[in-house]
Amino acid sequence: MTDSNAHDFKRSMQQRHLVMLSLGGVIGTGLFLSSGYTIQQAGPAGAVLAYLIGGLVVYLVMMCLGELAVHHPEPGAFSAHATRYLGPATGYTVAWLYWLTWAVALGSEFTASAVFMGRWFPGVEPWIWCGIFSLIVFGMNIISARFFAESEFWLSLIKVAAVIIFIAVGAAAMFGFAPLSGNTEAPGITRILQEGVFDHGVMPILMTLLAVSFAFSGTELIGIAAGESENPEKNVPLAIRATLWRLIIFFIGTIIVIAALLPQDSAGLKESPFVAVFQLTGIPYAADIMNFVIITALLSAANSGLYAASRMLWTLADQKTLPKVFSRVNQRGIPVPAILVTMLGGLLSLLSSVYAEDSLYLALVSISGLAVVLVWMAIAASQFSFRRQWLKAGRSANELTYRTPLYPIVPIAAFLFCALACIGIAFDPNQRIALYFGVPFVALCYLVHYLTRRASANDAYVNDSLSTQQEAIDAR
């Protein structure tokens, strides 16, 4: 291994890799499993509205990230941006929050995969599948960045195709062009319209925003991959635009189909709403095929998550806030120590597969969702600060290769919407654990950064003093 700097990473990712990497990080348990929870809590129409709000928020955040990623394409991404424009302590905290986002998400992805394998192998303990999937994902990350990108491209392509097919078949079933089991009458959008958007109240929609944010988390992977991509000035903006529109279409289309076909009392975390909907259509083996696709999708999301989280550890070490060993990459440009430590986060999957799958899964989703929303807030604040400094230096916004539109409205709106999602979970007893865990975690990050920086300053002072004394002795 060699000591790392930004140039040790290989710029081998193309635009298609960036798009599929982002889609791969997003289309996982948040869509395939926890979308059922959103419908159960907010009702069909309320769930559609919640996902529309989530799509708007991620659009605003990605507009902010685009400007930063194009101007500063580096593996540290928004952690490095926060360090530069919000302060070292905030950048340190953002890196740990994002590491936490994906370390916890690894647990939820592996756990969900084991749950779906139980459909075919009910006698096999879930922790065995968690271990097998951990080894597969580790292998895809450890070979090379190009191999990771290619494997993620094809895994993501499978689930994108599955989502498109799901929307097409579901829409056909909704309007009577495809049969439903038991000669059930095609519901159209009756189930969505029979309840008003706010029949469950405003609060359930607000409470589900964090789960929706978790579902959309992963789009920001483009910012991290920019540091290992070819021609980021051109490819990053194109990838952001392509990803955003695909995600909004996929997510909104999917939630409309599920809300229209699946009774609200049947939605939840016991089974994927995707599998439940295909069972309703009566298409032979459709549910089993979708079960396989979902497992593939979950492994893809875990694959992206391990990649992103390991780059955050590398960033912390590169900023000298973690031991130097984590800033090392091998000759293939892989930060092996950072990947190994991040994989330990996958051990949460073993815990959640043994204890209270439903309740602990939701807790993992909530903690991961809160962490990513706080990261999004930092992205918006970093772009706001960057543009202010840029203009204050006498530069024009037109000089930027890619610029966030409607500044400062976009970063301010993104920040406030994210803050609203954080407030909402305080009223949901099932997700409140995220605040109990997340708030002390943020405070601890700031405290540790303060103490480590102070210790580093003291060490530097002692070394300087010893050096001065030695020089005085030598002079005698």
Side-chain angles (χ1 to χ4, degrees):
M1 292 185 184
T2 59
D3 288 343
S4 174
N5 54 52
H7 301 292
D8 287 328
F9 287 98
K10 310 298 182 184
R11 289 193 175 274
S12 55
M13 294 192 193
Q14 302 170 1
Q15 181 192 336
R16 65 185 180 92
H17 294 136
L18 292 179
V19 173
M20 284 302 182
L21 173 62
S22 185
L23 290 175
V26 177
I27 302 177
T29 56
L31 180 63
F32 287 123
L33 188 57
S34 59
S35 53
Y37 169 80
T38 306
I39 294 173
Q40 186 183 70
Q41 296 298 308
V48 173
L49 177 61
Y51 273 87
L52 283 171
I53 295 173
L56 172 62
V57 173
V58 77
Y59 178 82
L60 296 174
V61 171
M62 290 299 289
M63 292 299 100
C64 295
L65 179 60
E67 181 171 302
L68 295 167
V70 170
H71 194 72
H72 298 293
E74 49 192 306
F78 27 83
S79 170
H81 305 151
T83 297
R84 187 176 285 113
Y85 298 110
L86 301 179
T90 301
Y92 176 83
T93 303
V94 166
W96 275 118
L97 279 170
Y98 201 65
W99 182 86
L100 177 70
T101 295
W102 283 112
V104 171
L106 282 175
S108 65
E109 305 293 353
F110 292 144
T111 299
S113 299
V115 170
F116 292 132
M117 288 299 293
R119 176 184 177 87
W120 300 318
F121 304 98
V124 178
E125 291 293 330
W127 67 266
I128 295 177
W129 294 118
C130 290
I132 293 172
F133 294 145
S134 298
L135 291 175
I136 292 173
V137 169
F138 177 77
M140 287 190 288
N141 268 266
I142 208 70
I143 295 176
S144 72
R146 184 58 182 254
F147 180 82
F148 160 77
E150 282 295 332
S151 63
E152 185 57 30
F153 175 83
W154 293 107
L155 285 173
S156 297
L157 191 62
I158 292 173
K159 60 185 177 183
V160 166
V163 171
I164 293 173
I165 293 171
F166 174 82
I167 294 174
V169 172
M174 285 170 59
F175 298 104
F177 297 106
L180 289 171
S181 59
N183 296 320
T184 304
E185 185 177 349
I189 58 174
T190 304
R191 187 169 284 136
I192 298 176
L193 296 179
Q194 69 185 6
E195 290 189 11
V197 174
F198 301 111
D199 276 14
H200 291 246
V202 176
M203 196 54 64
I205 297 175
L206 187 61
M207 291 190 301
T208 59
L209 284 181
L210 196 70
V212 171
S213 297
F214 172 77
F216 278 107
S217 65
T219 48
E220 68 288 330
L221 281 167
I222 289 177
I224 297 175
E228 298 178 67
S229 67
E230 301 173 352
N231 193 6
E233 294 81 5
K234 175 185 176 183
N235 288 334
V236 169
L238 291 174
I240 286 176
R241 284 193 287 269
T243 301
L244 283 173
W245 289 113
R246 284 168 173 79
L247 283 178
I248 291 172
I249 292 171
F250 291 164
F251 273 73
I252 302 305
T254 295
I255 204 68
I256 288 175
V257 168
I258 295 173
L261 294 177
L262 196 63
Q264 183 180 342
D265 56 4
S266 299
L269 297 174
K270 288 288 186 182
E271 182 182 39
S272 168
F274 276 65
V275 174
V277 166
F278 268 107
Q279 286 176 332
L280 288 174
T281 63
I283 299 175
Y285 304 109
D288 286 314
I289 294 171
M290 183 54 64
N291 203 57
F292 168 77
V293 169
I294 292 173
I295 293 170
T296 303
L298 297 175
L299 293 181
S300 168
N303 194 31
S304 298
L306 180 57
Y307 167 84
S310 64
R311 270 53 179 183
M312 284 297 108
L313 285 188
W314 176 89
T315 299
L316 289 168
D318 188 58
Q319 295 172 351
K320 297 180 174 56
T321 53
L322 270 186
K324 191 177 181 179
V325 64
F326 293 107
S327 68
R328 293 178 179 174
V329 300
N330 61 19
Q331 293 179 344
R332 298 188 304 275
I334 303 298
V336 178
I339 289 177
L340 286 170
V341 171
T342 301
M343 274 304 299
L344 295 178
L347 293 178
L348 285 170
S349 63
L350 305 183
L351 176 66
S352 58
S353 65
V354 174
Y355 301 102
E357 289 179 11
D358 292 345
S359 58
L360 191 51
Y361 169 78
L362 186 59
L364 292 176
V365 167
S366 300
I367 292 169
S368 184
L370 177 64
V372 80
V373 167
L374 293 175
V375 169
W376 288 356
M377 293 172 74
I379 291 173
S382 296
Q383 189 276 328
F384 181 85
S385 179
F386 162 69
R387 182 73 74 88
R388 283 190 65 187
Q389 293 183 30
W390 181 269
L391 297 175
K392 190 175 180 179
R395 310 292 294 274
S396 168
N398 294 328
E399 296 178 54
L400 293 167
T401 305
Y402 178 88
R403 61 182 181 273
T404 303
L406 299 177
Y407 176 88
I409 295 174
V410 168
I412 292 175
F415 189 92
L416 293 178
F417 271 120
C418 290
L420 191 64
C422 294
I423 294 171
I425 62 168
F427 300 93
D428 185 351
N430 294 320
Q431 298 186 84
R432 202 175 294 151
I433 186 176
L435 290 177
Y436 298 151
F437 184 88
V439 173
F441 182 83
V442 170
L444 180 63
C445 286
Y446 274 94
L447 177 62
V448 169
H449 183 271
Y450 170 77
L451 294 176
T452 54
R453 282 301 186 189
R454 186 175 180 181
S456 298
N458 289 337
D459 289 343
Y461 174 77
V462 170
N463 291 334
D464 288 343
S465 299
L466 291 175
S467 178
T468 302
Q469 292 173 15
Q470 186 63 46
E471 290 174 0
I473 293 172
D474 292 340
R476 292 172 189 170

